[in-house]
Amino acid sequence: AQSVTQPDIHITVSEGASLELRCNYSYGATPYLFWYVQSPGQGLQLLLKYFSGDTLVQGIKGFEAEFKRSQSSFNLRKPSVHWSDAAEYFCAVAPRGGSYIPTFGRGTSLIVHP
Amino acid sequence: EPEVTQTPSHQVTQMGQEVILRCVPISNHLYFYWYRQILGQKVEFLVSFYNNEISEKSEIFDDQFSVERPDGSNFTLKIRSTKLEDSAMYFCASSEALSGGAGETQYFGPGTRLLVL
């Protein structure tokens, strides 16, 4: 069965600092990979996705993620964090073919200090 | 930008009561989903719906749950007799038809927070 691990429950950074949120997956083949953000009181918003091709994926709000097959990882990065980035971040994987139903990680809560 | 909407945003109900959660998916989308997120836990898949029938469901989606697309715009989740453990945030999502094996992206609504007392 596929699984997604986000090892950090909380991450605290200062505004303007760089950010990396970790995501590792366990799956038989390379799945589709997603990062979602959930702001307080809001739904899940898609930040970026990896289907194929360039392993460095650019998303909205200045985020990027890099797929590393050898490490089964899809870490999310941002060079300079803004206070409005404080939110819950979810990594998700979905199988290629079939239903594409995603499996979500437990989420990482990002706290931004001024 | 089109978005998925859900009503109500919050609902409080007594154990054993029926609740209906409503969703309006993005208008040209054909696949619809319900997920739930118990406080502090993962987002979990409940059910997917296509062409007026359930295409996939998880083991969470037992006989207490049902889904319906009563008209051309709404997609509903009904819980017949709520239990305390049904308290969660329920998310609706929709996606375009699958195309060429390129995968699909699901767009999520803001959620309905259900509290069962």
Side-chain angles (χ1 to χ4, degrees):
Chain A
Q2 58 195 31
S3 66
V4 182
T5 302
Q6 292 180 248
D8 303 304
I9 297 174
H10 303 281
I11 291 277
T12 302
V13 298
S14 298
E15 192 169 16
S18 63
L19 170 71
E20 182 170 32
L21 302 182
R22 295 183 289 166
C23 174
N24 293 93
Y25 65 89
S26 174
Y27 193 64
T30 300
Y32 295 118
L33 298 156
F34 307 85
W35 274 99
Y36 287 88
V37 60
Q38 184 183 24
S39 299
Q42 304 294 313
L44 298 167
Q45 182 182 21
L46 181 68
L47 283 176
L48 48 77
K49 60 191 178 187
Y50 173 78
F51 285 169
S52 63
D54 192 344
T55 56
L56 184 62
V57 181
Q58 302 297 321
I60 61 171
K61 304 186 180 187
F63 285 92
E64 66 179 27
E66 185 171 13
F67 166 57
K68 292 185 176 180
R69 186 191 308 272
S70 61
Q71 299 176 18
S72 297
S73 69
F74 189 56
N75 293 347
L76 182 71
R77 300 194 294 248
K78 186 169 184 177
S80 178
V81 170
H82 188 262
W83 64 266
S84 60
D85 292 325
E88 191 85 14
Y89 290 81
F90 294 94
C91 181
V93 303
R96 293 177 181 265
S99 61
Y100 302 99
I101 300 298
T103 298
F104 287 84
R106 299 184 68 86
T108 297
S109 179
L110 175 64
I111 301 164
V112 180
H113 281 315
Chain B
E1 185 176 330
E3 57 184 21
V4 177
T5 59
Q6 290 184 242
T7 54
S9 58
H10 296 78
Q11 178 142 6
V12 181
T13 190
Q14 296 290 323
M15 190 170 58
Q17 295 296 304
E18 175 183 286
V19 296
I20 297 177
L21 309 182
R22 291 182 168 78
C23 169
V24 178
I26 294 173
S27 61
N28 65 329
H29 286 186
L30 300 178
Y31 292 77
F32 315 114
Y33 311 83
W34 283 101
Y35 293 81
R36 78 171 185 191
Q37 183 184 25
I38 295 172
L39 190 64
Q41 298 187 24
K42 292 184 183 186
V43 175
E44 300 172 291
F45 167 74
L46 292 178
V47 65
S48 61
F49 191 86
Y50 170 70
N51 199 25
N52 282 320
E53 60 184 25
I54 291 173
S55 51
E56 191 166 345
K57 61 182 181 179
S58 72
E59 55 192 31
I60 303 169
F61 193 88
D62 60 22
D63 293 343
Q64 291 290 90
F65 292 90
S66 63
V67 289
E68 191 178 29
R69 188 154 164 81
D71 53 45
S73 59
N74 290 283
F75 179 52
T76 62
L77 174 69
K78 181 191 292 185
I79 309 175
R80 289 190 183 83
S81 178
T82 50
K83 302 187 283 286
L84 296 177
E85 53 265 37
D86 293 327
S87 295
M89 179 75 92
Y90 289 82
F91 292 107
C92 174
S94 69
S95 61
E96 295 180 74
L98 297 173
S99 59
E104 63 185 34
T105 300
Q106 296 180 21
Y107 294 87
F108 286 77
T112 294
R113 184 167 295 284
L114 176 66
L115 178 61
V116 182
L117 302 176

